[in-house]
Each structure stands twice: as structure tokens, then as C-alpha cells.
Amino acid sequence: MQSNPVKPRLSPFTFPKPEDPPDKVVLRDIKRHGWHLMHIGPEGDLPQFAFSIGFYYQFLQPEVLVMGLGVEKSANLLNHIGETLLSGKVLSPGRDAEYMAGYPVEFRPVHIAHYREHLGYAIWFYRSLPQAFPAMQCLLPDKAGKFPGDEGYDIRYDALQKNLSVG
């Protein structure tokens, strides 16, 4: 992560008060670097996933969640997305070939029904806002380059990434 000054741009946003040491780490990272990455291990039928906290605060851009990658690869991808936002790029739904060498990714809005289960720490961070923060899922293609919903998509990849764009 690149160190950069963080300037509040949201209104009426206030930083939450930390309740424990992990809260302090999240707040410290966002203040120092602009964002924090949260990694969640697999549990039950949920695959491992990672998401940003701070993209909306820092850039007024959606938080991003990615599933099915290990800790290092998800961190690299999310940090790369953060760096492109730092340079002025805007995230929008659709496919984009800029983020993973050799493969496009597809951004889809996360349906609000999935926020509590998948974005809990971000809910804590943004709790002073009167409305929900935006979030996008970064979907990865199967080995043939197909995405969920594409004809010929290998549904075995659904075990690695749940489609959170539907309720």
C-alpha cells in the first residue's frame, strides 16, 4: 500500500471509536494508507474472500470484494485496484482487463442482502453514514475466460466465488 494523506470527503462521516486492537489496526491503516484489507477464511459453504475498507471513504468509489483467491493474491489484486483509484480511475460495473495479467475481471454491485455476511467490518466503519456504502464484487473468470452467467461458464467455479450481485 502506498502511504498518502487521507482527507475526509464523506459527509456526515465520523471515524468509529475502536473497541479492540483489531479496530485500531483497521483505523490506523485507513488513516495512513487510505484503505485496509480484510481477509476472511473459508467457513462452511462460504469460500475465502477479502474486501477493502476505505475506498469509499478515500475515493468515493465502491468497496471491492473478491473471492476464491489466497491471501497474497487477493491482497495484490485489491491493492492494485486501490492504486488505480489513487490515480483517478473510476470503478463501474462491467469487465475490465486492467487488474489481472492475462485475464479480465468483472465488477458487479454487491446486493445489500449480502452486506452483513460479507462486509461486516465495513458496516462498522461506515456506520455513521445515513445510507449504505456502495460495494462491488470483483468476479474472476473460469479457465476459459467465462464469467458467471456467460454461456459455457464452468459452474464448478461457483464453489470458489458466490455471485453476490443477486439477493
Side-chain angles (χ1 to χ4, degrees), residues 84-104:
T84 64
L85 295 175
L86 188 61
S87 71
K89 183 162 173 89
V90 174
L91 284 180
S92 55
R95 294 185 184 168
D96 196 318
E98 182 173 337
Y99 297 105
M100 287 187 67
Y103 288 101

Side-chain angles (χ1 to χ4, degrees), residues 36-138:
H36 175 83
L37 302 180
M38 185 64 60
H39 299 274
I40 308 297
E43 188 175 311
D45 68 339
L46 287 177
Q48 67 182 337
F49 63 97
F51 61 94
S52 65
I53 304 171
F55 289 175
Y56 188 54
Y57 169 76
Q58 178 69 9
F59 310 112
L60 296 178
Q61 293 293 309
E63 297 301 341
V64 177
L65 178 145
V66 63
M67 292 183 167
L69 294 177
V71 172
E72 186 176 337
K73 286 183 179 180
S74 62
N76 288 341
L77 175 59
L78 291 170
N79 281 324
H80 182 62
I81 292 169
E83 295 294 330
T84 64
L85 295 175
L86 188 61
S87 71
K89 183 162 173 89
V90 174
L91 284 180
S92 55
R95 294 185 184 168
D96 196 318
E98 182 173 337
Y99 297 105
M100 287 187 67
Y103 288 101
V105 296
E106 184 172 326
F107 292 101
R108 294 183 187 173
V110 175
H111 191 281
I112 194 79
H114 299 288
Y115 274 45
R116 183 156 313 282
E117 186 172 23
H118 293 90
L119 298 166
Y121 238 111
I123 292 170
W124 170 81
F125 180 72
Y126 290 112
R127 69 184 177 192
S128 67
L129 294 178
Q131 75 286 337
F133 58 92
M136 293 259 206
Q137 182 177 7
C138 180

Side-chain angles (χ1 to χ4, degrees), residues 16-24 27 121 124 127:
K17 289 188 172 51
E19 299 169 13
D20 54 31
D23 293 353
K24 290 178 183 177
L27 296 175
Y121 238 111
W124 170 81
R127 69 184 177 192

